[in-house]
Amino acid sequence: MSGQKVCRRLEGRVALVTGAGRGLGAALALRLAQEGAHVAAADIMLDGVEKVAAECTERYGVKALPLKCDVTDEAGVEAAVGRIVEEMGRLDILVANAGIVVPGPITDIEVDQWRKCIEVNLVGYMICAKHAVRAMLWQGSGVIVQINSKSGKRGSSKNSAYAASKFGGIGLTQSLALELAERGIRVNAVCPGNLLSGKLWQEQLFPQYAERWGMTVEEVRQKYIEQVPMKRECTEKDVCDAVIFLCSDESSYITGQALNVDGGQTMH
Ligand SMILES: NC(=O)c1ccc[n+]([C@@H]2O[C@H](COP(=O)([O-])OP(=O)(O)OC[C@H]3O[C@@H](n4cnc5c(N)ncnc54)[C@H](O)[C@@H]3O)[C@@H](O)[C@H]2O)c1
């Protein structure tokens, strides 16, 4: 067990995290485990979720189930939720985190690539919510948290597929919140700022933007920090803290919200 203070606010609950093989999803799975939840970690990359699940059990003593699952494949998602209910007994929490970024100017971007971004980020969220909600309705309780983005509230230049998918995610979140409010299921979203130390930025976005703008990676990094009123990047812990709050009973009167976790960058 790590030396960190353990609250275990979610003791015994069962959580599914999508896109849990790396990055924010992996951090969320571990944090849910630290709070005492049993965790199903799903991703298209099985090796990633196998490592994350093993770490959840080793460090926090919870049950953990690694699942190879593509959120855009309805039959696969239905089977994954079925396995969770069978092996863990129930499903209390869905963290819909799986997401991709497909940047590019509107004049150049391939329609298939644009559509793929909508398919993973928006349709994938809908498919996971559909099957999680079926299990939750049966129990009469549950919590869904979508990992959205500040690009779900404000347009993003040369990143229209991503922003459109995330704006749609907020519409879906609010609609599900209304549909399920009387059934004991809360649905919220978290809108993080830029996780500049994460793999997505380090491996994909920094090199792309540096080349596009003729800048060094450090210059691009500074440009993004400058846009944040608090003058620092968003961390995985910042997002995990907000997600755990929205999963816990401390937020039992909160539904249909999209909470900005972005150092003041977006204020609506
Ligand atoms: N990184 C940021 O700065 C940032 C900012 C705001 C919001 N977000 C959101 O946070 C979430 C996680 O982002 P990240 O930075 O950790 O990205 P990441 O690329 O590091 O991780 C995404 C994970 O999702 C998995 N995945 C991709 N397609 C999938 C599919 N079809 N089915 C199942 N899993 C799939 C990938 O294999 C990967 O493990 C995304 O929804 C993203 O939009 C990220």
Side-chain angles (χ1 to χ4, degrees):
M1 186 78 68
S2 80
Q4 271 180 289
K5 186 168 173 267
V6 181
C7 302
R8 295 187 79 98
R9 278 180 286 176
L10 303 174
E11 188 76 53
R13 303 212 188 149
V14 176
L16 164 60
V17 184
T18 66
R22 74 168 206 184
L24 183 58
L28 285 162
L30 282 159
R31 179 63 185 277
L32 284 157
Q34 185 178 18
E35 297 285 346
H38 305 298
V39 177
D43 203 293
I44 44 176
M45 301 187 304
L46 186 60
D47 54 343
V49 279
E50 278 176 344
K51 280 191 207 121
V52 170
E55 209 178 325
C56 285
T57 302
E58 273 161 33
R59 287 171 66 176
Y60 305 115
V62 297
K63 287 185 223 158
L65 185 62
L67 293 165
K68 185 170 163 58
C69 177
D70 182 334
V71 295
T72 65
D73 167 20
E74 184 175 6
V77 171
E78 185 174 15
V81 171
R83 236 187 108 188
I84 295 165
V85 173
E86 200 179 298
E87 295 189 24
M88 293 174 148
R90 51 191 296 119
L91 179 59
D92 300 294
I93 295 164
L94 165 66
V95 181
N97 165 79
I100 58 171
V101 189
V102 184
I106 193 67
T107 44
D108 296 355
I109 194 161
E110 298 290 341
V111 174
D112 281 352
Q113 288 301 303
W114 205 94
R115 194 175 272 139
K116 166 97 180 154
C117 190
I118 303 291
E119 190 69 22
V120 175
N121 297 1
L122 180 57
V123 184
Y125 169 30
M126 174 268 171
I127 291 172
C128 293
K130 174 179 173 179
H131 290 282
V133 165
R134 285 184 172 178
M136 290 170 179
L137 280 175
W138 182 73
Q139 297 160 190
S141 67
V143 176
I144 296 174
V145 180
Q146 187 220 5
I147 304 303
N148 200 284
S149 169
K150 63 180 167 49
S151 302
K153 295 201 175 171
R154 225 165 48 183
S156 182
S157 176
K158 297 182 182 160
N159 203 12
S160 61
Y162 186 72
S165 72
K166 295 294 188 181
F167 267 69
I170 293 184
L172 178 54
T173 297
Q174 292 184 1
S175 303
L176 296 181
L178 289 170
E179 185 176 330
L180 301 165
E182 290 181 76
R183 309 294 298 271
I185 301 170
R186 296 185 298 108
V187 189
N188 290 293
V190 166
C191 300
N194 298 316
L195 292 143
L196 299 179
S197 295
K199 280 207 163 79
L200 180 72
W201 278 87
Q202 296 293 327
E203 291 176 7
Q204 186 187 336
L205 300 179
F206 275 139
Q208 269 181 34
Y209 295 161
E211 193 187 329
R212 190 189 295 166
W213 298 324
M215 293 163 93
T216 65
V217 165
E218 189 45 39
E219 284 166 346
V220 178
R221 188 185 165 81
Q222 274 316 314
K223 176 179 148 92
Y224 278 91
I225 298 273
E226 280 308 312
Q227 293 168 1
V228 184
M230 287 187 180
K231 301 291 176 234
R232 72 165 176 85
E233 69 189 275
C234 184
T235 66
E236 288 174 344
K237 182 180 182 303
D238 293 322
V239 184
C240 288
D241 286 342
V243 171
I244 296 301
F245 167 66
L246 289 173
C247 290
S248 76
D249 297 340
E250 288 164 24
S251 60
S252 61
Y253 199 49
I254 299 177
T255 197
Q257 304 306 305
L259 177 62
N260 302 330
V261 181
D262 65 359
Q265 211 172 340
T266 320
M267 295 201 179
H268 62 92

